Amino acid sequence: MSEPGKSLLSSPTSSGGQPAGSDTYKGWLYKWTNYLKGYQRRWFVLSNGLLSYYRTQAEMAHTCRGTISLTTAHIEVGDACHLVLTSGGRSYHLKATSDGESQRWVSALQQAKANASHMMHQSDDSGDEAPVPQPDRALTQGALKTLASKLDDLSTCNELIGKHGAALQRSLSELEDLRTATDGTDKLKTVNERATLFRITSNAMINACRDFLDVAETHSRRWQRALQYEREQRHHLEETIEQLAKQHNSLERAWREAPSTHPDGGERTQEGDASDENEDTEFFDAMEDSPAFITVTASDHTQHRRSGSNQSIMSGGLPNNEWSHNENDSGSNNVQLRRVRRSRIPNKPNYSLNLWSIMKNCIGKELSKIPMPVNFNEPLSMLQRLTEDLEYSDLLDRASRCESSLEQMCLVAAFSVSSYSTTIHRTAKPFNPLLGETYELDRLDDFGYRSICEQVSHHPPAAAHHVTSQRGWTLWQEITIDSKFRGKYISVMPLGCIHLQFHSSGNHYVWGKVTSTVHNIIVGKLWIDQSGDIEIVNHRTKDICHLKFVPYSYFSRDLSRKVTGVVADSEGTAHHILSGTWDDKMESAKIVESSRGCGGSEGKQKTLYQTLQPKVLWKKYPLPENSENMHFFSSLALTLNEPEEGVAPTDSRLRPDQRLMEAGLWDEANAHKQRLEERQRLERRKREAQATQVLEEGQDIESFQPLWFERRTDDSTGESTYVYRGGYWEAKDRQDWSQCPEIF
């Protein structure tokens, strides 16, 4: 099966290709056929405004596979040597073998289109009554060059008129000063000659002005028609897409209300169907995404079942309800001291809203700057979503007890992957925290840690996070969210590093986050994917772990949401293989032997690892009952916005629009959200005015200073980051929040 992008790894030459300016241009291009065959090599011939293609050069004598008229075609240049021709309601996706070859084809196609359009206008005597062609850049540039040439002619004529006029004026002055008849005859002859030159130059000026006006009026009418045509087409396209979105919402609502007969297979089918609409998937290469190693189990080279004992040794813990049952067995006194936290929130209302009607004017913008109603949010802030990374903090508890730094690295890697498991169904947007907003999570009684977050910047949005555990570790991070809306999908790129230090060993781990992408923004079922690489470094021992989040590909036979990784020591020797999916589980297998295997794709050798039986590092907890009606929240997420006594007045739990949304009062939540955003804009303008005044007075400008965090340089990485300065929990004990700003 030919794959998009994979076919282009060869280097075909453009046999017989001519320069872009000639009448005929020939060469090889790759044409997209279908999802089964992908891109296929075809011989293209451009002549007389027609682009024809054949399977081989020999077919030119008898069989033409297709012809594209460039007169009304639209030429769109994409990335990676990719171009799209649209003609007669059909799109042709083509690829060249190099950037240079792509540019030559684009130039030739645009020139041929300009020539064809020009010939069509010359052959049409009716002029204005001709149908409006698709606006063409080359034709427009030609008209502008013509107008510029006419302007140059006018400028030249103007200079000549000034020159000859001055000479004529001098001659007339000299004629008045004559004293003899002989001199008068000669001077009169000179005056007549100069007057003739002035008259000729003036006539040329008048003609040049007339030509300029004729050209300007002709092209002005054509541009006005083209502009009107584009406006009508855009309006029609917006109406069509909006209608499609409405129909899709109706179908989706009907599907939800209808009884489901295939609960296990529904999600997979929908996601597969949605992927057909995602043009980006055609450029993924399944072979490129495969790991550069092969693992073979030492005890058994055939397929085997995981033993239950292995799972229990390295499992990520029991679900919350089973854990609570074990605590009950340990004694009733402990149960009385433990707080019973909520296990459900009000069901999400079934409000229908057209996303495209809001997002169509926001393409290319940063997501945090797009005003959105709460209909597209979930009732949690970004600070609470950041805290939700601690869902599987027990992995770090176990890692703190590891004597081997390499085994500890495996658990840290599993923890870094586990933070994405809650996002599989969570396509809604968390609330953007207000500047100075905080969120605390005190779980010393059951999980042994305390967590505090603060929004330290609004544009770009950045949050600082600090967690201290009584079980031997400390975690801190500063994450800046860079998000873009690309029309069909939204990309969220978290920037910054996560730091983790274990108290007993001093091992200091640093890693980043991968890109999250929400697909099918316009039409289709929303679905999320995680893709990219994570490099985890132990700055004390120099151990390193490379994790790869494989992006979803229509052509890949691998598991969806696959994650692979290798744990290596400071010498680069691999010790553990990691594998699994970011929405289910991660396993590790200890390497007992490695060797260079036979050649893989493109002649690259793969390393063959012989491993012991894999052990489960982490397994995702099952979602609570009725989670589909509670924003697909996990057990921890359900408790994050639970009211808490004694928290700071800036805590996310006290944010009114978020609280109203959780209660299902979305209209009231939207009104409060608009009020808070307007108040924040006023505060920002006030700070900017104060900064301007201070600058005019020649004093130093003091930017916004977070209350609980300060910027320091990290000793291990040398990077400047926000770290916890202390004082929050002491202020909570005293209930002294006098320093906190009033933001709600």
Side-chain angles (χ1 to χ4, degrees), residues 526-556:
L526 292 176
W527 61 281
I528 194 168
D529 194 22
Q530 314 288 351
S531 60
D533 298 324
I534 292 179
E535 184 177 84
I536 307 175
V537 180
N538 184 340
H539 283 271
R540 191 184 73 84
T541 63
K542 306 305 179 185
D543 298 339
I544 192 168
C545 173
H546 293 280
L547 289 175
K548 183 177 183 61
F549 286 64
V550 181
Y552 173 79
S553 173
Y554 181 84
F555 303 98
S556 176

Side-chain angles (χ1 to χ4, degrees), residues 115-131:
N115 294 339
S117 301
H118 185 64
M119 292 297 295
M120 183 187 72
H121 284 298
Q122 285 185 339
S123 62
D124 189 357
D125 296 333
S126 61
D128 292 346
E129 297 178 1

Side-chain angles (χ1 to χ4, degrees), residues 452 466 708-710 712 722-730:
I452 175 65
H466 182 85
W708 310 111
F709 288 81
E710 62 183 1
R712 296 180 196 164
Y722 278 101
V723 296
Y724 180 55
R725 72 170 72 189
Y728 178 86
W729 302 109
E730 292 78 4

Side-chain angles (χ1 to χ4, degrees), residues 42-200:
R42 297 288 183 259
W43 179 256
F44 281 80
V45 178
L46 175 60
S47 179
N48 297 326
L50 298 176
L51 181 64
S52 305
Y53 57 92
Y54 311 84
R55 284 187 177 175
T56 62
Q57 292 175 261
E59 276 194 350
M60 292 176 60
H62 53 84
T63 305
C64 177
R65 298 292 172 177
T67 301
I68 307 169
S69 174
L70 297 179
T71 305
T72 58
H74 176 62
I75 304 171
E76 181 181 350
V77 181
D79 298 332
C81 310
H82 181 229
L83 56 131
V84 181
L85 298 181
T86 304
S87 178
R90 182 178 178 184
S91 295
Y92 299 84
H93 294 260
L94 309 176
K95 274 193 177 183
T97 56
S98 66
D99 290 335
E101 185 68 14
S102 176
Q103 289 297 326
R104 287 191 289 273
W105 271 106
V106 170
S107 299
L109 291 169
Q110 289 180 341
Q111 186 63 45
K113 174 178 168 59
N115 294 339
S117 301
H118 185 64
M119 292 297 295
M120 183 187 72
H121 284 298
Q122 285 185 339
S123 62
D124 189 357
D125 296 333
S126 61
D128 292 346
E129 297 178 1
V132 180
Q134 192 79 6
D136 181 74
R137 181 176 298 177
L139 184 60
T140 303
Q141 291 176 349
L144 292 176
K145 289 180 180 179
T146 303
L147 290 174
S149 175
K150 297 298 180 184
L151 281 175
D152 290 339
D153 293 344
L154 287 173
S155 179
T156 303
C157 290
N158 183 51
E159 293 176 1
L160 290 174
I161 286 177
K163 178 181 177 181
H164 293 308
L168 181 59
Q169 185 65 38
R170 286 195 304 271
S171 297
L172 290 173
S173 299
E174 292 172 355
L175 187 61
E176 292 177 356
D177 297 338
L178 288 179
R179 297 179 180 177
T180 63
T182 305
D183 293 338
T185 303
D186 295 337
K187 294 297 181 182
L188 187 60
K189 183 178 180 180
T190 302
V191 170
N192 287 332
E193 290 176 354
R194 291 180 174 176
T196 302
L197 287 174
F198 185 82
R199 185 177 65 254
I200 293 172

Side-chain angles (χ1 to χ4, degrees), residues 31 112 214 285 318 349 355 396 436 441 490 554 557 618 634-635:
K31 175 181 174 293
D214 289 343
D285 188 346
L318 294 171
L355 179 62
L396 302 183
L441 185 64
I490 292 175
Y554 181 84
R557 296 181 180 178
W618 158 75
S634 64
S635 297

Side-chain angles (χ1 to χ4, degrees), residues 293-584:
F293 54 83
I294 302 172
T295 59
V296 179
T297 306
S299 61
D300 188 1
H301 289 202
T302 61
Q303 194 72 17
H304 62 275
R305 293 181 177 271
R306 308 287 191 262
S307 64
S309 60
N310 286 338
Q311 290 189 2
S312 62
I313 292 173
M314 301 292 286
S315 66
L318 294 171
N320 284 349
N321 55 350
E322 295 185 25
W323 177 86
S324 300
H325 178 72
N326 290 337
E327 289 295 320
N328 289 335
D329 291 342
S330 64
S332 58
N333 291 334
N334 284 339
V335 175
Q336 294 175 357
L337 297 176
R338 300 291 173 90
R339 172 181 173 180
V340 178
R341 300 186 181 268
R342 68 181 186 180
S343 59
R344 63 170 292 107
I345 59 175
N347 285 355
K348 174 184 176 182
N350 187 18
Y351 287 160
S352 176
L353 190 63
N354 186 0
L355 179 62
W356 177 245
S357 63
I358 295 174
M359 301 294 282
K360 64 183 179 183
N361 297 320
C362 304
I363 297 176
K365 294 184 180 179
E366 185 180 339
L367 192 60
S368 63
K369 295 184 178 180
I370 301 175
M372 301 275 285
V374 300
N375 304 52
F376 303 115
N377 287 81
E378 62 178 20
L380 290 178
S381 73
M382 181 57 73
L383 301 180
Q384 291 166 312
R385 283 292 293 267
L386 207 58
T387 307
E388 199 176 345
D389 288 354
L390 301 172
E391 176 95 30
Y392 298 94
S393 62
D394 61 305
L395 290 170
L396 302 183
D397 298 341
R398 289 163 43 209
S400 67
R401 300 191 296 269
C402 285
E403 297 181 358
S404 167
S405 63
L406 294 171
E407 292 181 1
Q408 188 178 72
M409 174 70 84
C410 292
L411 289 167
V412 172
F415 174 78
S416 69
V417 175
S418 70
S419 62
Y420 298 96
S421 64
T422 61
T423 66
I424 179 62
H425 301 294
R426 305 268 289 279
T427 55
K429 176 179 175 289
F431 279 78
N432 291 329
L434 303 177
L435 188 62
E437 185 174 332
T438 61
Y439 180 74
E440 69 156 75
L441 185 64
D442 188 349
R443 301 300 292 266
L444 286 176
D445 58 341
D446 46 5
F447 297 141
Y449 65 76
R450 273 178 167 180
S451 166
I452 175 65
C453 291
E454 183 176 8
Q455 187 76 359
V456 296
S457 172
H458 187 61
H459 285 306
H465 184 204
H466 182 85
V467 189
T468 302
S469 174
Q470 295 177 337
R471 300 175 184 176
W473 53 270
T474 299
L475 181 145
W476 68 96
Q477 59 181 318
E478 178 197 343
I479 298 296
T480 300
I481 301 297
D482 183 15
S483 52
K484 292 292 185 181
F485 173 50
R486 304 295 187 183
K488 287 180 59 180
Y489 60 91
I490 292 175
S491 295
V492 180
M493 292 80 68
L495 308 176
C497 292
I498 304 170
H499 296 256
L500 172 65
Q501 188 165 28
F502 291 99
H503 303 164
S504 59
S505 64
N507 288 337
H508 181 185
Y509 296 88
V510 180
W511 70 92
K513 287 180 172 285
V514 296
T515 299
S516 301
T517 306
V518 181
H519 294 271
N520 290 346
I521 296 299
I522 300 177
V523 177
K525 185 183 188 304
L526 292 176
W527 61 281
I528 194 168
D529 194 22
Q530 314 288 351
S531 60
D533 298 324
I534 292 179
E535 184 177 84
I536 307 175
V537 180
N538 184 340
H539 283 271
R540 191 184 73 84
T541 63
K542 306 305 179 185
D543 298 339
I544 192 168
C545 173
H546 293 280
L547 289 175
K548 183 177 183 61
F549 286 64
V550 181
Y552 173 79
S553 173
Y554 181 84
F555 303 98
S556 176
R557 296 181 180 178
D558 290 332
L559 289 173
S560 298
R561 315 176 190 99
K562 183 178 180 180
V563 181
T564 59
V566 178
V567 175
D569 59 22
S570 59
E571 303 296 328
T573 303
H575 290 269
H576 294 273
I577 295 297
L578 304 178
S579 62
T581 58
W582 52 262
D583 68 320
D584 185 26

